[in-house]
Amino acid sequence: MTKTERNWTGNIHLGAKVDIEVVLNQLVHAFNTSPFFKHNGMTMRVVDGQIEAYVEMQDFMIGNVAFQILHGGLAATILDSIGGIVAMGELYKKAEPETIADTIKKVSRLATVDMRVDYLAPGRGKYFIARAETLRLGRKSCTMRMTMVNDDDKPIATAIASYAY
């Protein structure tokens, strides 16, 4: 394992128990250094032991100019991103010292296989927060449910996605 891989995964040592707080913070740090996330104004953060996505509304995010609402593509991107990073965290949470090498491999290969987005309300708000929950965590894939709310805690969009690893 290279130094970059160890650093990206919270300096996990093979055969050691995972410090999930360290791992979640390292995952968030890795995602927040992504040029794509920076370009879209998205950040990940750990709140009460859970990862959530956060984005403040900005003019370049407007998809419907007539009504000044968030572009659906940005909503889908946030939902997909939070689903993936939370899935990674869940894999680490269930990892045992003897399975950590396999877990690291799964996390590094995790990819979206399928996602369905339901837009529930116009994307209006000062900021948006997305969270994810695990519906199924299997040996080769998982299914996640994600929800994005605005600053009034009104659901804007929800999604269900499958991730393979």
Side-chain angles (χ1 to χ4, degrees):
M1 185 178 339
T2 68
K3 183 175 172 130
T4 303
E5 287 173 315
R6 282 193 308 272
N7 200 19
W8 187 82
T9 56
N11 294 313
I12 295 171
H13 300 286
L14 298 181
K17 184 74 177 142
V18 171
D19 182 341
I20 197 62
E21 185 177 327
V22 170
V23 170
L24 294 180
N25 282 306
Q26 284 297 112
L27 286 170
V28 164
H29 175 74
F31 272 67
N32 288 341
T33 60
S34 162
F36 182 73
F37 286 166
K38 287 180 183 178
H39 173 76
N40 285 303
M42 297 168 31
T43 57
M44 298 286 180
R45 58 191 187 185
V46 179
V47 177
D48 297 328
Q50 299 293 322
I51 298 175
E52 66 179 29
Y54 176 85
V55 63
E56 289 185 15
M57 183 63 158
Q58 299 176 49
D59 288 342
F60 75 87
M61 298 174 179
I62 294 170
N64 184 320
V65 180
F67 294 101
Q68 299 290 297
I69 59 175
L70 184 72
H71 191 284
L74 187 61
T77 299
I78 293 166
L79 292 168
D80 184 29
S81 300
I82 193 63
I85 192 172
V86 171
M88 291 175 182
E90 291 300 311
L91 286 167
Y92 280 119
K93 284 178 185 176
K94 82 171 207 172
E96 297 295 330
E98 59 274 4
T99 64
I100 198 65
D102 188 45
T103 299
I104 291 168
K105 204 182 290 185
K106 285 179 179 180
V107 167
S108 68
R109 293 190 307 233
L110 190 135
T112 308
V113 174
D114 184 58
M115 185 171 82
R116 175 196 162 88
V117 179
D118 290 308
Y119 299 97
L120 307 173
R124 291 190 184 97
K126 295 176 186 153
Y127 61 85
F128 303 93
I129 294 173
R131 297 179 185 94
E133 64 176 311
T134 306
L135 298 179
R136 179 186 168 281
L137 193 64
R139 287 184 318 113
K140 296 182 178 185
S141 67
C142 65
T143 304
M144 307 295 289
R145 178 182 304 143
M146 300 80 74
T147 303
M148 186 179 80
V149 298
N150 67 6
D151 53 313
D152 289 328
D153 206 33
K154 180 179 181 179
I156 301 299
T158 187
I160 291 182
S162 298
Y163 300 88
Y165 33 80

